[in-house]
Amino acid sequence: MTVIDTLPQTETQQPMEAPAKPRTPTARQRLAELHELRDGARQGLDPKATERQHAKGKLTARERIDLLLDDDSFQEVQPLRRHRATGFGMENKRPHSDGVVTGWGTVYGRTVFVYAHDFRIFGGALGEAHAAKIHKIMDMALAAGAPLVSLNDGAGARIQEGVTALAGYGGIFQRNTRASGVIPQISVMLGPCAGGAAYSPALTDFVFMVRETSQMFITGPDVVKAVTGEEISQNGLGGADVHAGTSGVAHFVYDDEVTCLEEVRYLLSMLPSNNRELPPSATPADAPDRRTETLLDLVPAEPTHPYDVREVIAEIADDGELFEVHSAWAANVVCALVRLDGHVTGVIANQPIATAGVLDIRASEKAARFIQFCDAFNIPLVTLVDVPGFLPGTDQEHGGIIRHGAKLLYAYCNATVPRVSVILRKAYGGAYIVMDSCSIGADVTYAWPTNEIAVMGAEGAANVIFRRQIAEADDPADMRARMVKEYQAELMHPYYAAERGLVDDVIDPAETRAALIGALAMLRSKHSDLPARKHGNPPM
C-alpha cells in the first residue's frame, strides 16, 4: 500500500493551484517609473541642497545650462548614470547623474556641447562615472566639430574613489589637448576649482570667472599656511580679480552668473564651430566705407602724448563694438574681437595709456596667445602699431623678455590667416619688427602720415650717432637739438618706409576702416601652407 492510498479522501478536496505569475509592468507603468527617475535625478538626493546653493548666490547646474543654451534645446546624455564605488558608505549613496550634467544644445541656433558640475551631489567632486560622462561628451564634441563649454563648480577629486578619480582627470586633460585648435573650448568658473582640476580650464581657450563665488588654485589657503605660514583667503589666493589682473589665468570676469553666461553666448556667436569653418558673419548696419574722421583728433601727433587705443578700435569696428580679451591683465596691449563689414576680426594694438604701450613679458604672452587662437580658428588679424620698444630693466631681462618676446614673434610668423597692420604713430626697434611688420609676413601694411619708423627714437639715435660732435660742441644742447632734427628729417619722415617698400601705402586716418575692410576682403581666400612637420618648437 502506498502512502497516497492511506491519505483520507473527502468529497470537497480540489487539486492544488499553481502559484500566480508576477504581472509584467505595463508600458505606462514603466514610463511613470522613468519620469520618477528623471525627476529624482533633477532634484538630487537632498531637497534642501538647491536652497543651499541659491543661498550662496549660485545657480544649479541645470539652471546654468538653461541660461547658456537656447530655450528647450538641451539634450541630456546619461542622466541616469550612477557610480559603482564601494566602501566609506558609497554603496549606500548612488544618486543618478553622479554629480555632473552633460549634453548638447544650441546657442543662436548652432550646436554647442556642455557639461556642468552639480555641486548638490558630492560637492561636484569627480569620480569614475562622473569622469566617464565628461569624457564621452568631450569625444562627442570633437567628433561633431562643435564648441565645448564646461561649467565648473566642483570640489576636486572624489577622495573615496582614490586613484580612479585622478585617472579621470588625466582623461579630461588628454581630450582638452587633443581638441585644442580643433574646436573652441570655454571654461566657466562658477564655484571652487582646486588642485589638479584647475589644469583643465588652463588648457582651454578662454576662462570666465564670477567675483566672490569662483576660485581657482593648486593648493588652498590651509596648505599655503601650513607650508609658508602665510594666511590668505580663498579669494585673495585664487579669486576672480586675482586671476584677471595678476596671474592672467582668467580672460573675463563678471559680477554675477547671469551676465557671465550671457557673455559666453556672445563670445560663441563670434567663433566658428571648428577649425574647418570660417567665423559666422553678420549683415552690418554700419557702412563699410564710413569715414573715420574722429581719428584725426583722437590720436595726438606728438608721439609721447597718451590716448586710449580702444577708442580707435571702436571707431574702426562695426557699430563701435569690441569684445576685449584679458582687459585687466597686461593692459599695455589690447586684444579684442570685432566685426569689420560683418566679418569677425582679431585686433592687437599697443595701448599708450598703459606704460606708454611698451612690450614686456606679460604683453608678449597675452598677444601671442590671442594670435594663436585667431590663427587656429581662421580669424584674420589686424594690428594697430604705436610702440616705443621693449620695456628695459633687470626685472624684464632676468625674467626672460627675450624668450617671452620671441613667443609673440613666433605667433605672428607662424600665423597663416590674413594679416593687415596699420602704423599709427611710432614703431621703434625690435618692437616694430615683432608687431607684425611686413618683414615677418604681414600681407598688407598701412601707415598714417604721423608714423615714425626707426631703430630708436630721434633723441636716443642722435645721442649715439653724434655723440662726439655733441660732446665737442660749444653748446651741446643746441648741437643735440640740431642733430635730432637732422635725424628726423633724414630717417624718420613719414614716407621713408613707404619709399623702401616697407609700407604698402600711407593713408588718410579717416579712410582706415575702408582700407582695412577692402584689404581683408581681398585676403579672404588667402591660402598659406606651412612646411611639412609634426609641429614647431615655439619658445614656451
Side-chain angles (χ1 to χ4, degrees), residues 105-119:
T106 60
V107 172
Y108 297 114
R110 296 192 302 147
T111 300
V112 172
F113 287 80
V114 60
Y115 68 86
H117 298 129
D118 190 344
F119 197 84

Side-chain angles (χ1 to χ4, degrees), residues 219-507:
T219 54
D222 292 340
V223 176
V224 170
K225 182 179 180 180
V227 174
T228 69
E230 180 184 8
E231 291 191 15
I232 191 167
S233 67
Q234 287 194 346
N235 281 323
L237 180 63
D241 289 319
V242 168
H243 285 310
T246 303
S247 72
V249 171
H251 299 79
F252 308 98
V253 173
Y254 301 97
D255 291 328
D256 60 87
E257 293 189 17
V258 174
T259 304
C260 180
L261 292 168
E262 286 176 354
E263 294 299 286
V264 174
R265 284 175 58 86
Y266 181 70
L267 175 59
L268 286 167
S269 76
M270 302 186 80
L271 304 181
S273 293
N274 56 64
N275 64 342
R276 298 183 299 276
E277 298 181 4
L278 294 175
S281 59
T283 303
D286 204 348
D289 59 351
R290 171 174 57 81
R291 288 179 62 81
T292 51
E293 301 282 355
T294 306
L295 297 179
L296 292 165
D297 301 315
L298 186 60
V299 179
E302 172 57 47
T304 59
H305 288 186
Y307 63 93
D308 190 343
V309 78
R310 289 172 296 190
E311 296 181 20
V312 176
I313 299 170
E315 180 66 20
I316 295 169
D318 289 357
D319 304 310
E321 293 184 358
L322 67 151
F323 193 63
E324 188 176 356
V325 178
H326 267 321
S327 62
W329 186 64
N332 42 324
V333 67
V334 172
C335 298
L337 291 170
V338 304
R339 281 191 169 91
L340 290 173
D341 196 27
H343 296 277
V344 178
T345 305
V347 177
I348 304 95
N350 305 110
Q351 175 59 291
I353 62 171
T355 59
V358 296
L359 289 177
D360 59 9
I361 289 172
R362 289 185 172 187
S364 298
E365 288 189 338
K366 172 180 171 178
R369 175 77 170 168
F370 182 72
I371 292 163
Q372 288 179 160
F373 174 82
C374 290
D375 186 50
F377 291 102
N378 308 309
I379 299 172
L381 297 168
V382 166
T383 304
L384 304 180
V385 185
D386 189 353
V387 61
F390 282 94
L391 182 63
T394 55
D395 287 346
Q396 290 292 306
E397 295 294 349
H398 294 176
I401 184 60
I402 296 172
R403 176 168 51 86
H404 293 287
K407 294 177 183 178
L408 178 55
L409 182 60
Y410 189 99
Y412 268 127
C413 291
N414 201 51
T416 60
V417 292
R419 292 155 51 190
V420 181
S421 63
V422 183
I423 300 166
L424 309 184
R425 292 194 308 187
K426 57 191 175 296
Y428 297 156
Y432 153 67
I433 302 171
V434 169
M435 288 297 294
D436 207 20
S437 64
C438 67
S439 61
I440 64 169
D443 297 295
V444 179
T445 301
Y446 295 119
W448 286 0
T450 48
N451 81 83
E452 289 184 357
I453 306 173
V455 175
M456 62 178 67
E459 291 280 350
N463 287 335
V464 172
I465 298 173
F466 306 112
R467 181 174 59 250
R468 180 176 297 178
Q469 293 94 314
I470 293 171
E472 294 175 352
D474 294 335
D475 187 346
D478 180 68
M479 176 63 74
R480 180 182 292 107
R482 286 195 289 118
M483 293 300 100
V484 167
K485 189 174 181 179
E486 180 181 333
Y487 184 83
Q488 288 175 324
E490 289 291 327
L491 297 177
M492 294 184 66
H493 64 80
Y495 309 104
Y496 184 86
E499 291 170 359
R500 286 153 182 78
L502 300 176
V503 168
D504 293 302
D505 197 7
V506 179
I507 63 172

